[in-house]
């Protein structure tokens, strides 16, 4: 042993050996202390060993071990975790709720792939683990980074914590140089119960369910706490790879298993939707005895080349779907119906319930959707719940599935009071008293108060500061509510006047409860920083009905600059003529969205508020996607007629991947028309406008895919 030798006297070999011994001793001491609640050495001894370890590392920095004890305690940054940008976005999954959804999924993939109905299309089927997803990055076989999903693009760096999980190997062999393994961190039921018992005994925090316990345990700033928590990891997917893992999903998962990852042994290969559903039923039957929570079955196209062809929507892969287990149910009393007014004036009825536990969570509010739903009809006017309406005082069935907002599903008429009255949906806005009207074809009744309605004002402001919009640090829903309530802000432009109005003078932000000199200045700085802002965020931030994040991006890319965008919105006011046609030609913009945009810019008050906002900003032009070497990058392409070698959706996805913009209609902005057999008016218009027209083979030649 070298412990008695002064650090300054140690040779390199002695130092290496002692660091290894210290890592082991300290890890064992940590386990004994945190996991087993049975410390083996005194705190003072523990501290002395840690100090010695740090001193040796300071003298021989190159010998610092990847599992160094100095990285494991108090190593996490004081203010939360550092952020990690995922090399490949972490996706979520689309959902199927019944067999028809599964059949529709298979049918849509077959259409997309042009896959004959009688030819097997194989899928893997595996349990959907109810935990939290984690991405593990290995370089040359060594675990170098672990990150939570976060928003899919950026997650939290939880490397030190992940290293403490037994089922996550820190070294693997036989792997590509770069391998990101993705999967789910979860907690087994028995471990969860033991953890809660020991937490209770210690007077610590207990958890509502294993998923929360897993999340709370992984996201600990002190990795030693994570080490003491019984977490496990199932690998089911991957991110960046320096070389492919295999040709199929099944083989890839088996390779991960062979490298030492835990993979789920209920994963099966299915050739038909019947097989998939049979396996779903088999897994469902074992659900209660698995020992860990699952909330459905995930189907994935087995062939990885087909997965690549199918690609992704904005947040979900086309080639996979989660078949969820039915929601969990409970009965309780409907105490009241409250009406909430949303950003676009929609009146949403909310059920206030006598609290009841549904699937482990206490539920006291649930959505009632809209007035038809309460009356016993769906949005098409067809009878639901056998026509039973919902009345205050009724016994109602509440259900929730996963994170979905709880819903009121059914009513027990046998328990209805004799004097219960049908619910009269308000025809005026409960917030501002303006008329609430229901337009034809709209399931929702809306307040007509516009910006005079305080509820709409606040919701619009909340939307304006939300993440995908202006995302102003320190200005969240809570602060917006506070400022709006006190009439400090009424519209987005006012946010940019906060410093001028409340940075000095009689009323100052820094003097308000919860604020100080520093936090106030920080907020003003954060606001000022956002004066320079990308076009897409501004469009989205306006909160125009039907204009979501994706549409805002498309509009920004299409128009390029704020000036071009508002000019177009003014020119299209008549809903006729070239500007209107051009708007409708934007991929993803339909009549409804276009009309909503026109209405927003046509309304005097709203358009003046938009002008006031724009005057305070420096709006950055949108960049056109530039795909290197692509012959169609930045070009606007229209497909028409029948395509024989690919589906329309596939053609569109490919063109977009090459940086082209795909439009639904021909205009002077169109660069290229791809016309298959049966092309009609669009081909004619293209000829009139002198637009280059090619056939499907010409297109495939052009993009190098023939
Ligand atoms: S595959 C690109 N497989 O479910 C494919 N996800 O609701 C991405 N999940 O974010 C996911 N079990 O956290 C996949 N066997 C499984 C899964 C699974 C649980 C989680 C995952 C995902 C979420 C989507």
């Amino acid at each position: 042993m070298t412990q008695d030798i002064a650090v300054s006297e140690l040779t390199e070999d002695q130092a290496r050996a002692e660091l290894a011994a210290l890592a082991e001793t300290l890890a064992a001491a940590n386990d004994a202390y945190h996991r087993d609640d049975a410390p083996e050495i005194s705190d003072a001894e523990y501290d002395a060993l840690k100090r010695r370890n740090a001193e040796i590392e300071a003298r021989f920095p190159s010998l610092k071990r990847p599992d160094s004890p100095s990285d494991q305690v108090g190593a996490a940054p004081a203010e939360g975790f550092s952020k990690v940008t995922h090399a490949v976005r972490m996706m979520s999954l689309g959902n199927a709720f019944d067999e028809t959804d599964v059949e529709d999924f298979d049918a849509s993939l077959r259409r997309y792939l042009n896959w004959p109905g009688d030819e097997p299309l194989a899928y893997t089927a595996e349990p959907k683990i109810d935990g939290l997803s984690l991405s593990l990055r290995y370089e040359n076989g060594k675990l170098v980074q672990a990150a939570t999903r976060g928003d899919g693009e950026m997650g939290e760096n939880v490397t030190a914590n992940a290293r403490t999980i037994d089922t996550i190997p820190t070294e693997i062999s036989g792997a590509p140089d770069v391998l990101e393994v993705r999967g789910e961190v979860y907690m087994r039921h028995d471990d969860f119960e033991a953890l809660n018992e020991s937490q209770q005994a210690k007077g610590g925090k207990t958890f509502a369910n294993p998923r929360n316990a897993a999340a709370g345990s992984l996201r600990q700033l002190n990795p030693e706490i994570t080490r003491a928590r019984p977490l496990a990891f199932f690998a089911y997917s991957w991110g960046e790879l320096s070389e492919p893992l295999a040709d199929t999903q099944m083989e890839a998962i088996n390779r991960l298993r062979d490298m030492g990852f835990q993979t789920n042994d209920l994963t099966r290969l299915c050739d038909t939707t019947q097989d998939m559903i049979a396996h779903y039923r088999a897994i469902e039957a074992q659900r209660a005895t698995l020992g860990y929570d699952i909330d459905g079955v995930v189907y994935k196209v087995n062939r990885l080349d087909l997965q690549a062809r199918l690609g992704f929507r904005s947040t979900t892969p086309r080639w996979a779907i989660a078949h969820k287990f039915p929601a969990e149910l409970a009965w309780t009393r409907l105490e009241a119906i409250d009406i909430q007014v949303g950003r676009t004036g929609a009146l949403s009825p909310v059920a206030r319930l006598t609290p009841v536990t549904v699937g482990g969570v206490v539920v006291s509010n649930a959505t009632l959707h809209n007035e038809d739903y309460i009356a016993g009809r769906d949005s098409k006017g067809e009878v639901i719940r056998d026509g039973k309406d919902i009345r205050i005082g009724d016994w109602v069935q509440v259900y929730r599935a996963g994170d979905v907002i709880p819903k009121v599903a059914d009513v027990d008429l046998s328990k209805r009071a004799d004097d219960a009255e049908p619910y009269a949906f308000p025809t005026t806005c409960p917030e501002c008293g303006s008329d609430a009207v229901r337009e034809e074809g709209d399931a929702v009744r809306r307040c007509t108060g516009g910006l005079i309605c305080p509820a709409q004002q606040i919701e619009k402001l909340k939307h304006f500061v939300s993440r995908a919009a202006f995302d102003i640090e320190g200005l969240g829903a809570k602060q917006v509510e506070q400022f709006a309530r006190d009439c400090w802000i009424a519209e987005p432009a006012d946010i940019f006047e906060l410093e001028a109005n409340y940075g000095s003078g009689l009323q100052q932000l820094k003097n308000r409860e919860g604020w100080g000199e520093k936090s106030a200045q920080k907020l003003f700085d954060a606001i000022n920083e956002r004066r320079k802002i990308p076009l897409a965020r501004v469009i989205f931030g306006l909160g125009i009905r039907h204009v979501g994040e994706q549409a805002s991006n498309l509009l920004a890319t299409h128009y390029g600059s704020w000036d071009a965008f508002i000019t177009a919105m003014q020119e299209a006011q008549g809903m006729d003529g070239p500007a209107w046609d051009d708007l409708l030609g934007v991929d993803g913009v339909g009549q409804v969205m276009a009309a909503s945009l026109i209405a927003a810019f046509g309304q005097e008050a709203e358009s003046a508020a938009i002008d006031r906002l724009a005057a305070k900003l420096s709006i950055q032009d949108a960049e056109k996607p530039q795909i290197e070497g692509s012959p169609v990058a930045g070009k606007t392409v229209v497909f028409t007629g029948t395509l024989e070698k690919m589906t329309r959706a596939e053609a569109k996805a490919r063109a977009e991947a090459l940086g082209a913009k795909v439009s639904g209609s021909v205009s002077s902005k169109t660069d290229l028309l791809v016309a298959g057999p049966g092309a009609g008016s669009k081909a004619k218009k293209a000829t009139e406008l002198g637009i280059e027209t090619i056939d499907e083979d010409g297109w495939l030649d052009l993009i190098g895919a023939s």
Side-chain angles (χ1 to χ4, degrees):
M1 289 305 260
T2 52
Q3 270 129 300
D4 297 325
I5 306 174
V7 171
S8 59
E9 305 290 332
L10 286 175
T11 65
E12 198 168 318
D13 283 345
Q14 285 173 328
R16 186 179 295 111
E18 194 178 335
L19 286 177
L22 281 165
E24 200 175 310
T25 313
L26 285 164
N30 278 326
D31 281 354
Y33 182 84
H34 292 287
R35 193 185 56 202
D36 309 324
D37 277 338
E40 285 170 359
I41 56 174
S42 72
D43 287 358
E45 275 172 298
Y46 179 85
D47 290 342
L49 292 176
K50 291 257 342 220
R51 242 186 341 264
R52 171 107 181 155
N53 185 73
E55 285 167 13
I56 302 175
E57 285 177 349
R59 183 161 166 237
F60 299 98
S62 63
L63 296 186
K64 186 170 166 190
R65 300 167 56 87
D67 61 349
S68 162
S70 25
D71 287 343
Q72 294 181 8
V73 180
E79 290 191 36
F81 298 95
S82 61
K83 298 278 183 278
V84 171
T85 302
H86 297 297
V88 173
R89 203 189 148 101
M90 285 184 82
M91 292 281 163
S92 104
L93 290 169
N95 289 324
F97 295 101
D98 56 27
E99 295 178 13
T100 316
D101 289 348
V102 177
E103 275 151 15
D104 289 350
F105 165 70
D106 176 63
S108 76
L109 297 199
R110 285 172 183 276
R111 269 198 306 279
Y112 198 104
L113 294 168
N114 247 332
W115 201 266
D118 51 3
E119 201 159 304
L121 179 57
Y123 297 88
T124 57
E126 70 201 61
K128 181 170 186 303
I129 316 298
D130 197 5
L132 70 153
S133 47
L134 185 68
S135 183
L136 304 169
R137 187 176 175 91
Y138 291 84
E139 286 175 6
N140 302 314
K142 296 216 166 39
L143 175 63
V144 293
Q145 190 171 70
T148 61
R149 189 173 86 145
D151 61 3
E153 276 173 18
M154 207 188 265
E156 287 170 331
N157 185 339
V158 290
T159 314
N161 302 21
R163 284 187 197 285
T164 69
I165 300 176
D166 285 347
T167 39
I168 295 183
T170 49
E171 271 185 52
I172 52 177
S173 54
D177 293 349
V178 175
L179 166 64
E180 284 183 358
V181 177
R182 291 178 174 176
E184 204 84 352
V185 173
Y186 67 101
M187 198 178 281
R188 295 186 54 85
H189 292 157
D190 45 1
D191 288 330
F192 164 71
E193 267 147 38
L195 171 66
N196 262 358
E197 270 170 34
S198 98
Q199 288 290 102
Q200 202 149 27
K202 282 197 278 198
K205 178 180 163 53
T206 56
F207 298 94
N209 54 49
R211 207 204 82 81
N212 286 358
S217 301
L218 181 68
R219 298 185 62 261
Q220 285 287 339
L221 290 179
N222 179 352
E224 286 314 307
I225 299 183
T226 310
R227 187 189 296 282
R229 301 279 173 82
L231 294 173
F233 177 79
F234 270 126
Y236 52 63
S237 168
W238 53 89
E240 193 182 352
L241 295 174
S242 54
E243 58 188 89
L245 280 175
D247 291 335
T248 64
Q249 177 76 29
M250 199 67 172
E251 288 159 12
I253 295 303
N254 288 341
R255 261 197 85 186
L256 294 179
R257 185 195 58 204
D258 295 343
M259 288 174 201
F261 293 95
Q262 188 185 36
T263 57
N264 198 294
D265 56 14
L266 289 172
T267 309
R268 294 279 181 281
L269 201 56
C270 302
D271 273 339
T272 61
T273 48
Q274 287 89 321
D275 289 353
M276 290 151 80
I277 287 158
H279 193 47
Y280 169 90
R281 299 259 170 261
I283 292 177
E284 191 181 28
Q286 295 176 63
R287 188 178 181 188
T289 53
L290 286 178
Y292 51 88
D293 277 349
I294 62 172
D295 55 352
V297 172
V298 184
Y299 307 124
K300 299 172 184 167
V301 168
N302 191 39
R303 270 176 52 179
L304 300 184
D305 59 332
L306 298 184
Q307 287 191 4
R309 269 178 70 191
L310 288 159
F312 298 89
R313 296 180 212 91
S314 60
T315 58
T316 56
R318 278 197 195 86
W319 43 264
I321 200 163
H323 188 178
K324 302 295 278 285
F325 292 133
E328 296 181 73
L329 306 166
W331 287 89
T332 188
R333 194 170 163 272
L334 174 63
E335 293 181 353
I337 297 177
D338 284 353
I339 302 289
Q340 284 178 351
V341 184
R343 166 167 62 88
T344 57
L347 268 50
S348 307
V350 178
R352 304 292 178 208
L353 307 162
T354 306
V356 62
T357 304
V358 191
V361 172
V362 179
V363 170
S364 46
N365 302 315
T367 177
L368 285 163
H369 304 283
N370 54 49
E371 63 184 298
D372 281 349
Y373 189 81
I374 298 176
R377 290 187 302 270
D378 69 9
S379 55
K380 295 186 196 110
E382 279 166 29
V383 162
I384 51 170
R385 292 189 304 270
D386 301 326
K388 288 181 275 183
D389 68 335
I390 297 172
R391 303 183 185 186
I392 294 168
D394 274 347
W395 276 86
V396 292
Q397 188 191 53
V398 183
Y399 86 105
R400 57 181 288 276
D403 287 337
V404 179
I405 308 166
K407 292 179 183 153
V408 170
D410 203 1
V411 181
D412 185 346
L413 289 186
S414 71
K415 290 197 174 145
R416 176 172 284 173
D418 291 341
D419 58 355
E421 297 274 342
Y423 178 70
F425 203 91
T427 51
T428 54
C429 171
E431 298 283 341
C432 71
S434 304
D435 283 345
V437 299
R438 216 177 135 177
E439 277 167 24
E440 216 180 296
D442 195 352
V444 169
R445 190 172 283 277
R446 287 171 204 278
C447 160
T448 52
L451 290 175
I452 67 144
C453 174
Q456 284 189 59
Q457 240 178 39
I458 291 188
E459 292 309 315
K460 265 190 181 281
L461 285 164
K462 282 190 198 162
H463 172 83
F464 182 80
V465 300
S466 67
R467 251 169 95 139
F470 273 64
D471 192 21
I472 297 170
E473 209 183 325
L475 191 61
K478 210 174 99 203
Q479 291 77 11
V480 161
E481 257 177 37
Q482 194 185 36
F483 295 156
R485 220 181 310 111
D486 297 349
C487 303
W488 282 21
I489 55 175
E491 60 178 54
D494 297 340
I495 292 175
F496 295 93
E497 287 294 318
L498 273 173
E499 183 169 17
N501 293 334
Y502 304 101
S504 54
L506 271 183
Q507 266 189 318
Q508 293 193 30
L509 177 61
K510 68 175 186 196
N511 299 330
R512 285 186 70 136
E513 205 187 314
W515 294 87
E517 175 107 37
K518 265 200 187 145
S519 56
Q521 194 52 52
K522 222 170 139 188
L523 177 65
F524 297 147
D525 291 346
I527 292 171
N528 288 331
E529 218 169 90
R530 284 312 209 176
R531 285 181 195 268
K532 189 167 160 205
I533 184 118
L535 177 58
R537 283 184 180 265
V538 180
I539 299 177
F540 180 62
L542 298 178
I544 297 168
R545 199 170 147 209
H546 303 299
V547 184
E549 195 183 340
Q550 188 146 354
S552 304
N553 284 325
L554 294 167
L555 288 164
T557 315
H558 181 78
Y559 290 106
S561 72
W562 174 254
D563 284 345
F565 174 63
I566 45 165
T567 309
M569 293 305 111
Q570 301 306 345
E571 286 177 3
Q573 282 300 316
M575 295 175 78
D576 199 4
W580 172 252
D581 289 345
D582 183 51
L583 173 59
L584 284 178
V586 180
D587 179 39
V589 175
Q591 292 276 350
V592 174
M593 194 195 299
S596 175
L597 276 158
I598 297 312
F601 284 88
Q603 233 200 9
E604 219 173 290
E606 193 157 344
S607 134
I610 294 173
D611 288 346
R612 284 193 290 274
L613 169 69
K616 309 223 175 308
L617 304 174
S618 145
I619 301 171
Q620 296 164 292
D621 291 353
E623 278 171 31
K624 300 255 175 231
Q626 281 300 341
I627 310 278
E628 224 172 293
S630 160
V632 293
K635 299 233 163 106
T636 300
V637 181
V638 176
F639 291 94
T640 187
T642 313
L643 300 179
E644 290 168 330
K645 300 199 170 136
M646 55 195 159
T647 62
R648 189 66 73 79
E650 191 177 354
K652 178 169 177 282
R654 271 210 191 173
E656 282 171 352
L658 287 165
K661 214 185 77 45
V662 178
S663 168
S665 66
V666 173
S667 75
S668 56
K669 300 246 168 82
T670 309
D671 295 302
L672 182 65
L673 181 77
V674 181
S681 61
K682 288 184 193 166
K684 204 167 143 238
K685 191 163 176 194
T687 316
E688 280 163 20
L689 293 169
I691 290 162
E692 187 187 350
T693 303
I694 55 176
D695 64 9
E696 188 177 11
D697 286 334
W699 165 254
L700 292 173
D701 280 343
L702 178 66
I703 61 168
S706 54

